[in-house]
Amino acid sequence: MVYPPEDLNRAAVHAAPARRKGIGTRVWLVVSESGKSHVEEVGKHSIMRRTGLPARDLRVLDPMLSYPSTILGRERAIVVNLEHIKAIITAAEILMINSTNPLVVQFVIDLQDRVSTPSDRSNSPPERVEGDLQDKNHAALASNFRRDDPNATVLSPVGGGPKILPFEFKALEVCLESACRCLESETQTLEDEAYPALDELTSQISTLNLERVRQIKSRLVAISGRVQKVRDELEHLLDDDNDMAEMYLTEKLVESSREQASLREESGIEEVQVDDQRYEESEAEHSENNSDISTVFKPNIEELESLLEAYFAQIDGISQKLANMNEYVDDTEDFINIMLDDKQNQLLQMGVMLSTGNMILNAGIVVVGLFGMNIHIELYDGQPKQFWETVSGTVGGCLALYLIAIGWGKKRNLI
């Protein structure tokens, strides 16, 4: 059953106030492998018992704390903290902290569509998984496997057809797809805004354009950091085969149920032949063998590796886009700095020319001052034309000195 986004929003709004009812209690949105979703108010310890996760792994999902992008494979669950997605994936369900974020609502819809498609149910005959599992979570998972035939449907393809992913990988794929789509959308939006703003800045340097580019660069740095964290996490998983092997929850559960069934059969035969004491010793020995088997469990990780490599290539492409954009920003900054340096050089040249003119003018003032002294000389008794000769000579001398100074500066490449 696929819930529309309105129902999910309504459930989140009604459930939000219930979060304060108890210490460590949160409202979780649970999506089963059949695609049905419901809201549960579950405490932290209940989640730990239900998923087998330690408290430190649950802290990764705390929205009040800032943790980098993380994908953790554990014995019975996968912890996913990617962008807006904070979820715990088991072999039969996915638990998410309930939120009214539109991105989370869209993620839930995509997840329900993915896990509830008819192609996920093959025509292979059902096969009952035998075994008495030791805790309630394993029992619930086993009942789901009885309905969906994990042996024939998930682990072994029928008739040479394509191999169908188990539920945990479908959920993980939707998580990666949603995170990559979110980062891709933000990168595209930033790209549409950045290039026109940078081109406009190169044509007209103004305070408004500089402020726009500053904000764009801040967003670019933030998105680049988020993309790099997701890329590093995927790269870490691809480099560690043990971490990828831990994520095969369905195969581990089926393998565990098979071993428990075989051990129970052997124990039943031995029970007829030995007394109670030897039966208890045999049970202890069998439990040790079971733990050893689970320790050395090594599934074929090529399926998960191909899935992670596909999204690693996508996130690497987003990272390359951001790197190209960052390089364009750096080139624009260099161009702006060159333009500003050129303007500064022009201002310095103008300053040198004005300073030179001021110095020559001061020389003319000195001449005027000399003639302005109240001392009688024969020159003062001359004809009026001598006054104009003196003035013109002073001005001409100043202009000649100015031109000589400017010519010398240009010859020395100082101006």
Side-chain angles (χ1 to χ4, degrees):
M1 179 178 182
V2 180
Y3 289 86
E6 293 80 4
D7 294 346
L8 294 174
N9 281 326
R10 191 180 303 111
V13 170
H14 289 307
R19 179 176 174 178
R20 299 180 178 272
K21 290 184 178 180
I23 299 177
T25 301
R26 294 184 183 277
V27 178
W28 296 80
L29 180 63
V30 183
V31 180
S32 66
E33 62 178 347
S34 62
K36 297 180 180 179
S37 64
H38 62 278
V39 176
E40 292 185 15
E41 184 180 346
V42 188
K44 180 177 70 174
H45 297 289
S46 298
I47 291 293
M48 293 169 60
R49 290 191 298 268
R50 186 170 177 174
T51 61
L53 294 174
R56 66 176 181 272
D57 289 345
L58 293 181
R59 288 178 62 85
V60 176
L61 305 178
D62 194 337
M64 304 302 296
L65 302 177
S66 178
Y67 276 90
S69 297
T70 307
I71 302 176
L72 302 175
R74 295 297 184 248
E75 181 64 27
R76 291 159 49 191
I78 301 174
V79 180
V80 179
N81 178 26
L82 294 176
E83 293 298 310
H84 54 279
I85 302 171
K86 299 179 181 294
I88 302 174
I89 302 173
T90 67
E93 62 184 5
I94 177 171
L95 299 91
M96 296 167 290
I97 297 178
N98 198 26
S99 173
T100 57
N101 188 342
L103 295 175
V104 177
V105 174
Q106 183 61 42
F107 164 74
V108 174
I109 295 174
D110 294 341
L111 177 63
Q112 291 174 327
D113 291 339
R114 185 69 56 86
V115 301
S116 62
T117 50
S119 59
D120 293 346
R121 303 291 183 264
S122 68
N123 297 325
S124 55
E127 178 176 299
R128 184 180 182 86
V129 178
E130 299 180 357
D132 185 19
L133 304 179
Q134 294 182 354
D135 75 62
K136 295 180 181 179
N137 186 49
H138 280 198
L141 296 177
S143 65
N144 288 321
F145 292 141
R146 296 186 191 106
R147 294 194 305 269
D148 296 336
D149 186 13
N151 244 356
T153 304
V154 177
L155 300 179
S156 58
V158 180
K163 195 172 185 180
I164 298 177
L165 292 175
F167 172 77
E168 63 268 21
F169 290 170
K170 293 179 186 177
L172 180 60
E173 183 180 10
V174 177
C175 292
L176 292 172
E177 181 181 349
S178 179
C180 291
R181 184 170 59 242
C182 175
L183 293 173
E184 178 72 30
S185 175
E186 293 188 26
T187 301
Q188 186 62 42
T189 302
L190 181 61
E191 195 174 22
D192 294 341
E193 297 178 9
Y195 289 112
L198 292 171
D199 293 338
E200 185 177 355
L201 180 61
T202 56
S203 61
Q204 181 182 3
I205 301 176
S206 64
T207 304
L208 179 61
N209 290 337
L210 288 172
E211 178 62 22
R212 287 179 58 192
V213 171
R214 186 193 66 82
Q215 295 176 359
I216 287 173
K217 187 171 183 181
S218 299
R219 291 166 56 191
L220 175 61
V221 172
I223 296 178
S224 298
R226 290 158 53 193
V227 171
Q228 187 62 38
K229 289 177 183 178
V230 177
R231 185 183 184 278
D232 291 343
E233 184 62 25
L234 292 178
E235 186 176 13
H236 170 73
L237 288 175
L238 289 171
D239 291 341
D240 196 331
D241 293 347
N242 293 329
D243 286 348
M244 286 191 286
E246 285 291 334
M247 297 184 182
Y248 279 77
L249 306 179
T250 301
E251 289 195 19
K252 287 193 292 187
L253 188 58
V254 171
E255 186 69 20
S256 175
S257 63
R258 285 177 179 173
E259 294 298 331
Q260 290 179 4
S262 62
L263 291 176
R264 188 174 57 254
E265 292 176 359
E266 295 176 3
S267 299
I269 297 175
E270 292 177 359
E271 188 177 11
V272 180
Q273 300 175 353
V274 298
D275 56 10
D276 293 339
Q277 182 177 0
R278 295 191 60 186
Y279 175 75
E280 292 177 359
E281 294 175 358
S282 176
E283 284 293 318
E285 182 180 358
H286 290 157
S287 64
E288 292 178 0
N289 293 337
N290 189 22
S291 63
D292 293 338
I293 292 172
S294 62
T295 302
V296 299
F297 175 71
K298 295 291 183 182
N300 185 5
I301 62 174
E302 291 182 0
E303 187 178 47
L304 178 58
E305 189 174 15
S306 300
L307 175 65
L308 294 177
E309 283 178 351
Y311 287 98
F312 178 80
Q314 183 176 353
I315 205 71
D316 190 60
I318 298 174
S319 179
Q320 187 61 41
K321 280 186 179 181
L322 293 171
N324 295 337
M325 200 184 312
N326 190 35
E327 185 177 353
Y328 194 84
V329 171
D330 292 339
D331 293 342
T332 304
E333 287 182 352
D334 294 340
F335 180 74
I336 296 299
N337 290 332
I338 292 173
M339 292 178 63
L340 294 176
D341 290 341
D342 181 64
K343 294 291 184 182
Q344 186 177 8
N345 291 336
Q346 293 178 9
L347 292 174
L348 289 175
Q349 290 178 2
M350 183 178 294
V352 170
M353 295 173 67
L354 292 175
S355 298
T356 303
N358 187 33
M359 182 185 68
I360 300 301
L361 183 61
N362 289 332
I365 293 174
V366 170
V367 174
V368 174
L370 291 175
F371 282 99
M373 289 188 296
N374 192 16
I375 300 175
H376 183 76
I377 59 175
E378 295 181 356
L379 182 62
Y380 294 159
D381 297 333
Q383 300 298 323
K385 65 177 183 179
Q386 293 178 340
F387 170 77
W388 297 110
E389 291 174 354
T390 303
V391 172
S392 60
T394 302
V395 174
C398 290
L399 290 176
L401 289 174
Y402 180 76
L403 294 175
I404 291 173
I406 296 299
W408 179 82
K410 289 186 176 181
K411 185 177 181 180
R412 295 285 184 175
N413 294 326
L414 300 178
I415 298 177

